[in-house]
Amino acid sequence: LAREARRRGAQVTLVLGPSSLPPLAGVTTIDIVSTRDLLHATRRAARGADLVIFAAAPADWRPTMRVRGKIKKDGSGRTRTIELVENPDVAAILGRGKGGRFHLGFALEVAHAFGHAREKLVRKRFDALVLNGPANVGRGGGKAWMLLPDMKPVALPTGDKTITARAILDLVWDRVHPL
C-alpha cells in the first residue's frame, strides 16, 4: 500500500514494526516496537495527512511488567502467571479526532465476518474497511472485500499483494482526492 500510494505521487510515511522489509524508496519510515509506540508515531504522522491507513494488527494486550532479558526457569515445576493490561486502540483513538482525514481500516474476521467488519467500520470511524479472511495473512491468496458505507461489499483481487493494493487505492483514491 505504501509503495502504491508513493507510485501515485503521495508523500508517504510508513510506521513499521519489527520487520525484514527493505526500505522503500521515497517513503519516510518510522520504526516502532510496541503498540504504544505505534499510537505516538501514527498520531504524529497523521497530522496534515489526507489518508491514514490502519493496516497494522497491534497487540490488544501487553504484560503489566516489562522484564529485560529472559525469565529463566528454576526447575521447581511451578506455574508462572503473567498479568496483562489492555493496549490503547490506536485506530479508535485517532478516529475520535480525525477531522477531515480519510481513515481506511483493516479487519481479519472469521465468524460473522461482514457483521463484525461493519460494526468495526462504525465504531472506529473508518471511512472504508478491508475485510480479510485468515488465508490472507502472510503471502495472501484468500478472499478480501472492501466495505464502504454507501456501497455493497466489493470483492478484491488477492493473488498478488501489489494488485490488491492497487485495487484498494482505486476504490478510495478519488474519495480522498476529489477532482
Side-chain angles (χ1 to χ4, degrees):
L1 286 163
R3 186 180 299 116
E4 178 60 19
R6 180 70 189 119
R7 189 187 70 75
R8 291 171 187 237
Q11 181 180 343
V12 177
T13 301
L14 176 63
V15 180
L16 186 64
S19 171
S20 61
L21 291 175
L24 294 174
V27 172
T28 301
T29 301
I30 301 171
D31 293 313
I32 55 109
V33 175
S34 71
T35 302
R36 290 183 290 181
D37 294 343
L38 177 66
L39 174 61
H40 300 303
T42 305
R43 231 186 216 146
R44 280 192 309 273
R47 289 187 193 123
D50 298 319
L51 169 64
V52 181
I53 300 174
F54 296 87
D60 292 333
W61 299 90
R62 70 179 182 278
T64 55
M65 206 172 69
R66 195 172 194 172
V67 177
R68 289 189 183 266
K70 178 181 176 182
I71 300 173
K72 292 197 157 283
K73 59 184 172 183
D74 62 10
S76 69
R78 66 186 171 127
T79 62
R80 180 172 287 274
T81 302
I82 299 174
E83 193 170 303
L84 301 174
V85 64
E86 226 176 305
N87 264 324
D89 186 330
V90 176
I93 291 168
L94 268 70
R96 289 193 288 269
K98 72 183 228 179
R101 285 185 288 280
F102 191 98
H103 281 196
L104 170 62
F106 279 70
L108 182 110
E109 300 289 346
V110 180
H112 311 292
F114 286 97
H116 288 293
R118 287 248 179 243
E119 182 273 328
K120 186 175 190 176
L121 182 82
V122 172
R123 182 172 39 86
K124 297 195 182 200
R125 298 185 175 134
F126 289 139
D127 299 288
L129 184 133
V130 174
L131 169 60
N132 280 296
N136 280 323
V137 175
R139 296 183 62 141
K143 294 183 179 179
W145 298 267
M146 171 70 79
L147 279 68
L148 292 146
D150 57 344
M151 293 172 58
K152 289 182 178 179
V154 176
L156 296 168
T158 57
D160 175 299
K161 297 249 180 187
T162 300
I163 293 169
T164 305
R166 283 188 186 137
I168 290 168
L169 290 181
D170 283 348
L171 287 165
V172 302
W173 202 254
D174 290 340
R175 292 169 186 256
V176 176
H177 304 99
L179 297 175

